[in-house]
Amino acid sequence: MKKLYLIGNTKMNLDFSKFKKYFKLLKKASKNTKNFVGVCLSSPYLDLAQKCLKKSNVHYGTQNIYFEDEGAFTGEISAKMVQDFGVDLQIVGHSERRQYFYETDLDINKKIKKCLTLGIYPIFCFGENLQQRKENVTKKIIRQQLNGALSGIEKQDFGKIIFAYEPVWAIGTGVTATSKQAEEIAKFVKDYLNKHYGIDNCIFLYGGSMKPSNAFELLSQQHIDGGLIGGACLKVDEFSKIIDTAIV
Ligand code: PGA
């Protein structure tokens, strides 16, 4: 059986009472799975996550951290701070961070390195936007994003990075990349990491409108190891259908 990595991204959604119910249901939904289940939530609810998800199979983290440990960085939250709440996963470089908060490949590189130093698994997001796909520069853009984000990272640390291909045109739009499109990039990235960094394999997620109706098809692809799930993770009954996916 293929072990799948299924990680939710709740984005800026839910509140204290909703998270309380959510964690309870997610813990139950993940109880018997052999898949890796995680959720990345908003920092204010980490204390609650830690309390509700202890003694569960559910890994958790947040959606952004800053790469410095402490100092005069008003409004930022460090990876070290979130780690106090048992975080072992961390989204880095999501396209919404790149787009609305002007995160650069260099910021992302520093954030990945900080997570690795602390033993937190960074979920490194990358992917092209619609115009770039139309202009047929998808692979060039992905190469740039990979090279920028991975610069200076030691070979032995690559196994701790979770790679998440999220074509921007598929995020929150209801438009999913076809399994063929997603698999093509998965193979491309794995081959590229092999050729340029000497990496034999990595965990590769697809993200962008993954839902129960398309999850099996996407997750069955040879080079795809899991999904980063936004909208469909907000309802545990939908997320749990994805969590239950079994690929032999
Ligand atoms: P979506 O979001 O599943 O709602 O498209 C995925 C993501 O942005 O991580």
Side-chain angles (χ1 to χ4, degrees), residues 62-247:
T62 68
Q63 301 155 13
N64 179 45
I65 41 91
Y66 195 54
F67 47 78
E68 297 288 352
D69 288 340
E70 58 185 20
F73 303 103
T74 302
E76 290 299 313
I77 297 174
S78 70
K80 223 163 154 259
M81 288 170 171
V82 299
Q83 198 180 35
D84 279 342
F85 295 90
V87 160
D88 63 352
L89 289 177
Q90 183 57 57
I91 294 181
V92 177
H94 190 282
S95 63
E96 286 151 16
R97 301 282 327 160
R98 294 178 191 256
Q99 190 180 343
Y100 305 131
F101 304 97
Y102 311 108
E103 265 190 30
T104 64
D105 288 335
L106 182 60
D107 296 326
I108 293 164
N109 177 250
K110 290 181 184 168
K111 290 180 182 193
I112 292 177
K113 284 180 177 159
K114 177 50 70 177
C115 288
L116 292 171
T117 321
L118 295 174
I120 296 173
Y121 289 82
I123 304 165
F124 158 47
C125 302
F126 56 93
E128 81 287 3
N129 63 31
L130 187 58
Q131 192 176 342
Q132 290 160 342
R133 178 155 280 262
K134 281 185 179 156
E135 286 169 4
N136 211 14
V137 291
T138 296
K139 290 181 181 164
K140 183 173 156 223
I141 294 296
I142 290 177
R143 267 198 305 269
Q144 280 168 5
Q145 291 174 335
L146 292 175
N147 291 339
L150 300 174
S151 164
I153 291 176
E154 303 288 336
K155 192 175 164 184
Q156 73 266 17
D157 283 336
F158 273 70
K160 299 172 201 142
I161 302 174
I162 300 175
F163 291 80
Y165 169 54
E166 298 211 309
V168 180
W169 46 273
I171 296 178
T173 57
V175 181
T176 317
T178 63
S179 52
K180 198 166 160 245
Q181 286 169 323
E183 169 64 7
E184 185 191 350
I185 300 300
K187 184 170 181 334
F188 166 73
V189 168
K190 288 190 174 181
D191 286 349
Y192 184 78
L193 293 178
N194 183 269
K195 199 163 157 214
H196 290 266
Y197 296 92
I199 309 304
D200 290 338
N201 204 1
C202 69
I203 299 172
F204 185 99
L205 312 185
Y206 166 80
S209 301
M210 184 181 277
K211 44 192 175 245
S213 59
N214 60 27
F216 183 84
E217 166 87 20
L218 286 159
L219 296 168
S220 319
Q221 303 305 307
Q222 189 187 342
H223 296 88
I224 297 180
D225 307 296
L228 185 55
I229 301 135
C233 89
L234 292 174
K235 293 201 181 105
V236 178
D237 56 342
E238 286 201 27
F239 193 18
S240 73
K241 285 182 193 147
I242 303 178
I243 291 170
D244 288 342
T245 310
I247 313 276

